[in-house]
Each structure stands twice: as C-alpha cells, then as structure tokens.
Amino acid sequence: MNQMPMTPMGVGKLLDKSFNVYRQHFGAFFLLALIWFGPFLLVQQLLLIDVSSIPLLMQDTEGLEFWEAMGEKFGGQEDLLTQNVAMMLLYAFVVAPLTMVVAYPQLIAGATFMTKSALEEQPVDLKAGLKQALGRFWPLVGSTIVYGLLAVALTIGFLLVFMLIGFLLVLATGNSIETFFDSDSTLSPFIFIVVFLFGYILFLAGIVLVPGYFLLRWSFYLPLVLFERNGIGIDKSWNLTKGNFWRLFAIYLVLSILYSIFSGGIQVAVMGIMGTSVISQIIMVVLSCLLMPWMAIVYALAYFDLRVRKDGTDLEALMSKQLDQDIDRLLAKDSGATHE
C-alpha cells in the first residue's frame, strides 16, 4: 500500500495539488457534493424565494435597453424573497441547522477520506467515502455542534468586549454620537466618519485575530474525529495547528479570494444571461456544488500537510530525546568504569 507523500507543502503547492486532485477525480467529488448539499440548497431556494412569481426559463426584459435590462435582472431580486414567515422560520430553525451539522461534516469527512485515497494513489471510491463518513455520523454531528457553540460564544464575547471598550472610550472623552453632529460642537461629522472607519477596521481586524484565531486552530476537528475515532477532536486540532496559524490563515485568505472570484463571476454570468428564473436558481445550486468539493479538498490537504509537519516534528523530538538518553548512558558507563 502506498503511503502519503512525506513532504510539507507551501500555500501555492497545496492549492495546485487541490486542483489536480479535483480534476483527476471530478465525478466522485462532484457527486458527493450533489448528494449532501444539492437537496439542502434546493430546499433553501424553495423556502426563501417566491417561486410562483418568477418565470421558469428566463426573465423577460424584451424592449428594454441593455443597462435597463441589467438593472431589472440584478435589482429586483430582493422583491422575490418570500413573505411567508412560516417558510423563513422553517429555513432558519430546521434547514440551516441541518445543513451545518449534517451536510457540512458529511461532505468534509467524505472528501477528506477520498483525498487521502488520491494521495495514496488508491482508487477514489465515492461509495467508500460515503460509508466511511456515515460510520462516524454521530461523532461528527456532536463535534460540529460543540464547535458551533464555541464559535457563537467567542463571537458574542468579542462583540460585548468591543462594545464595552467603545462605550468606555466615549465616556472617557465625554462625547457621544450626537455631539459629532451638534452645531455647537467643536467635533465635525468628518471626524466622526474617520473615527467610525477606524473603529470598523479595528473591529474587522479584531474579529479575525481573536475569534478567528481560536476557530482556525480548532477547525481541523473533523478529520481527527474521522480517523482517530476518539474525543471531539477540538483539543487535538489545537495541538495539531500549533505554530501554523499564519500559514493556515494565508491558505484561508487565498481560498476565500479565489472562491469569491469564481462564485461571483459565475453568478454575474448566469444572472446577466437568464435573470432570476427557476432554471437559473437550479443552475446556481449546481454551480455551488461544483465549488464546494474544491474547498473541501483544500481543507483535507491542509490537514494532511499538518499531519506530516507534526509527525516530522515529533519524530525529530523523539530522535533527539533518544540521542540524549544514549549519551547519558554512555557518560554514566564511562564514569562507572573510571571510578572502578
């Protein structure tokens, strides 16, 4: 049986490897996403969009100038959202949670197992990937719920601390928002805008570097639960990612940018041609399922890369410790011989 390559990958090499794996085993990964995310995305569209008010094939913009037609296609989407409160609640409290705790971990676990097979040059079997992930269904669900609760707690905690600091600063300066726009105040609206922008940038940096730091360090719990079969994996993910935060952050940043470019470009193309229609919504679901496996493969490769780096570090530490013990024994032996 072939083993995974024991060479760490940089960000560029990891992304290049993800494209190669997806290209070579496109059918299996795409079907995996269709099986787990396709139904949930379709239900989401049916619940949130008033399907009865949109055409089946293509939005009618006949007789309009080009820019007017584009404005009609892109500008009226908010009006198509359903006004049915029951459907919105059903999505918010049933479909969305099930997507996060069932579809997401099953997709990631299956893609991770299949990526492992691809790295070991073994057959990439969709059925085996589904079976392997389903065999760990409840541990994956439980770990994802714990991770989600931690994410919510960290985010709320950060928001409360940030708001408290802002409130204390306002009290310390003796000002309030009203004073920025008071005609008798020495502070101008321009200063308020500058302060607001500075606070917004500080908020974004803070939420990335505080909750984001912990969530990224904990985020590799899924493959640990899948392969090691004990615990919820969050503590082990913390140990596995030690010393790799900035490299993982770079991977996440590049991945987010590429995903935004691909998904945004696809959405603009589909909406520009077809507008809002039933078929265009189905196409968007299928295209979303095209991008999800690639992101899952990047995640899986990042995990295996961390394993290689961690195992290599542990091996070096073990060898160093063994060498120190051998030296101590030799010194003790020489000391005993001299004493005799």
Side-chain angles (χ1 to χ4, degrees):
M1 179 178 178
N2 296 322
Q3 299 298 317
M4 287 183 295
M6 298 298 291
T7 54
M9 295 180 287
V11 176
K13 185 177 180 181
L14 189 148
L15 291 173
D16 181 62
K17 186 68 175 177
S18 70
F19 285 117
N20 288 333
V21 170
Y22 193 21
R23 176 178 56 83
Q24 293 171 6
H25 308 284
F26 169 78
F29 282 102
F30 178 54
L31 283 176
L32 179 68
L34 277 181
I35 289 170
W36 281 116
F37 262 92
F40 285 99
L41 291 177
L42 280 175
V43 171
Q44 170 187 313
Q45 296 298 88
L46 291 173
L47 290 177
L48 296 183
I49 294 179
D50 186 4
V51 180
S52 62
S53 65
I54 61 177
L56 174 64
L57 182 61
M58 187 177 295
Q59 187 173 347
D60 185 17
T61 55
E62 187 178 354
L64 298 177
E65 297 291 336
F66 176 79
W67 292 114
E68 292 178 344
M70 290 297 103
E72 182 71 18
K73 289 177 179 179
F74 287 97
Q77 296 184 63
E78 293 184 1
D79 298 334
L80 299 175
L81 293 178
T82 182
Q83 302 300 315
N84 190 317
V85 177
M87 287 188 174
M88 297 179 70
L89 291 175
L90 182 61
Y91 169 74
F93 293 101
V94 178
V95 177
L98 285 177
T99 303
M100 292 307 300
V101 302
V102 175
Y104 171 76
Q106 287 297 311
L107 172 64
I108 296 297
T112 301
F113 179 80
M114 291 161 60
T115 301
K116 181 176 182 290
S117 298
L119 291 176
E120 294 176 344
E121 299 181 0
Q122 299 296 312
V124 176
D125 189 352
L126 172 62
K127 184 178 179 180
L130 290 169
K131 183 178 179 180
Q132 185 81 359
L134 284 171
R136 301 290 292 158
F137 181 85
W138 290 113
L140 290 170
V141 168
S143 299
T144 302
I145 291 174
V146 172
Y147 182 82
L149 292 175
L150 288 173
V152 171
L154 277 171
T155 303
I156 292 176
F158 174 80
L159 291 175
L160 292 175
V161 171
F162 190 85
M163 292 170 62
L164 177 61
I165 292 174
F167 178 72
L168 292 176
L169 287 175
V170 169
L171 290 181
T173 57
N175 293 304
S176 64
I177 293 178
E178 287 78 9
T179 61
F180 285 97
F181 298 97
D182 190 349
S183 58
D184 297 328
S185 175
T186 57
L187 300 174
S188 66
F190 174 76
I191 296 177
F192 169 73
I193 293 172
V194 171
V195 172
F196 176 80
L197 290 176
F198 177 77
Y200 181 68
I201 294 172
L202 191 64
F203 169 77
L204 291 179
I207 205 165
V208 168
L209 295 177
V210 181
Y213 174 80
F214 291 96
L215 295 178
L216 188 57
R217 292 285 305 275
W218 290 330
S219 64
F220 290 91
Y221 68 93
L222 284 171
L224 289 165
V225 171
L226 177 66
F227 293 121
E228 299 197 7
R229 297 181 174 271
N230 54 3
I232 60 174
I234 290 177
D235 56 337
K236 293 183 179 180
S237 176
W238 180 268
N239 295 327
L240 183 65
T241 56
K242 183 179 180 181
N244 289 280
F245 171 76
W246 290 112
R247 191 176 61 82
L248 293 172
F249 179 76
I251 293 172
Y252 173 78
L253 182 62
V254 173
L255 183 65
S256 299
I257 293 172
L258 291 176
Y259 179 82
S260 299
I261 292 172
F262 290 150
S263 62
I266 290 170
Q267 184 174 3
V268 168
V270 172
M271 294 300 299
I273 295 172
M274 306 186 69
T276 303
S277 65
V278 174
I279 299 300
S280 69
Q281 299 303 308
I282 295 175
I283 292 174
M284 291 303 300
V285 168
V286 174
L287 292 175
S288 296
C289 291
L290 278 172
L291 291 176
M292 287 177 184
W294 171 60
M295 299 183 69
I297 292 170
V298 173
Y299 172 88
L301 289 174
Y303 165 74
F304 291 124
D305 183 64
L306 287 170
R307 279 254 66 106
V308 169
R309 293 171 186 270
K310 179 67 173 176
D311 292 343
T313 302
D314 291 345
L315 180 60
E316 289 178 3
L318 181 62
M319 292 175 63
S320 177
K321 182 179 179 180
Q322 185 66 41
L323 181 60
D324 290 340
Q325 290 175 350
D326 291 342
I327 292 173
D328 290 341
R329 281 197 296 267
L330 288 173
L331 290 175
K333 184 177 180 180
D334 292 341
S335 176
T338 303
H339 180 71
E340 292 176 357

